[in-house]
Amino acid sequence: MGMVVVVLVRGRWRWALLGTVVVVLGVGTYWFQPWKLWQDATVTEALPGASAPAAAGPAAKAPRTVAEGALISHEHTTSGTAKVIRLGDGSYTLRLENLDTSNGPDLRVWLTDAPVKEGVAGWRVFDDGKHVSLGKLKGNKGDQNYEIPAGVDVSEYTSVAIWCDRFDVSFGAAPLAGRA
């Protein structure tokens, strides 16, 4: 038979051990933020500038989709469509439509030059090359817009990633294919 060893912690050591356990649990809970798995944030934004041409007259241009792709799942189940849209004033916006992913800590929206790969092989590739953060994910569900900064050459970026900055992993990504 095997021997079972019971270690009794007495006095000050018991309180030190208890304090250490409480600190470790507190830090772990903050780091992983497990409550976000049960919290959804739905965002419903209209496409910016969609009504501007009518108001601005015939010289104004309507928004035009220049690239788009379907989101695939990586670390978390993710679906929806990512679109790069050129607005009437010549600026660009990334639009996520019908987004549905998990909530999580420190989620960002990135334009990247990395190829979108299925499965585990695609989880961590997006920070390997060129990428630009468009900001924090506004919500894990719905339709939302992210301004692409002036000076960013959208033709240099071939994909979009919902990136968890805390754990350096993609929740989901979409390849961006150009439209004629």
Side-chain angles (χ1 to χ4, degrees):
M1 290 275 181
M3 184 184 344
V4 177
V5 177
V6 178
V7 177
L8 295 176
V9 181
R10 298 179 187 255
R12 284 183 287 175
W13 290 106
R14 178 177 22 187
W15 292 111
L17 179 62
L18 181 62
T20 301
V21 168
V22 168
V23 168
V24 167
L25 285 174
V27 169
T29 300
Y30 171 76
W31 189 254
F32 286 96
Q33 298 179 356
W35 58 88
K36 287 195 171 188
L37 292 173
W38 296 278
Q39 295 176 335
D40 287 328
T42 302
V43 175
T44 306
E45 293 181 328
L47 177 64
S51 61
K61 294 182 180 181
R64 182 174 69 89
T65 300
V66 296
E68 69 180 293
L71 288 158
I72 66 165
S73 300
H74 279 148
E75 172 70 19
H76 292 264
T77 302
T78 302
S79 63
T81 304
K83 296 181 177 182
V84 175
I85 299 173
R86 184 177 174 127
L87 301 176
D89 64 3
S91 65
Y92 290 92
T93 291
L94 176 75
R95 181 163 174 81
L96 300 177
E97 292 182 342
N98 301 311
L99 174 66
D100 188 358
T101 191
S102 299
N103 205 341
D106 207 14
L107 296 179
R108 307 292 172 147
V109 178
W110 281 10
L111 278 178
T112 79
D113 66 352
V116 175
K117 298 177 184 178
E118 296 274 347
V120 177
W123 288 13
R124 299 186 186 276
V125 300
F126 299 102
D127 62 347
D128 293 344
K130 189 173 187 177
H131 60 276
V132 60
S133 177
L134 302 180
K136 289 188 174 196
L137 186 69
K138 296 174 183 178
N140 63 308
K141 297 186 180 298
D143 302 328
Q144 44 205 275
N145 306 304
Y146 296 87
E147 181 182 339
I148 298 174
V152 170
D153 182 354
V154 295
S155 68
E156 294 178 5
Y157 299 93
T158 57
S159 60
V160 171
I162 307 300
W163 186 256
C164 180
D165 228 12
R166 172 130 338 133
F167 296 105
D168 292 328
V169 68
S170 169
F171 273 36
L176 293 173
R179 296 176 74 184

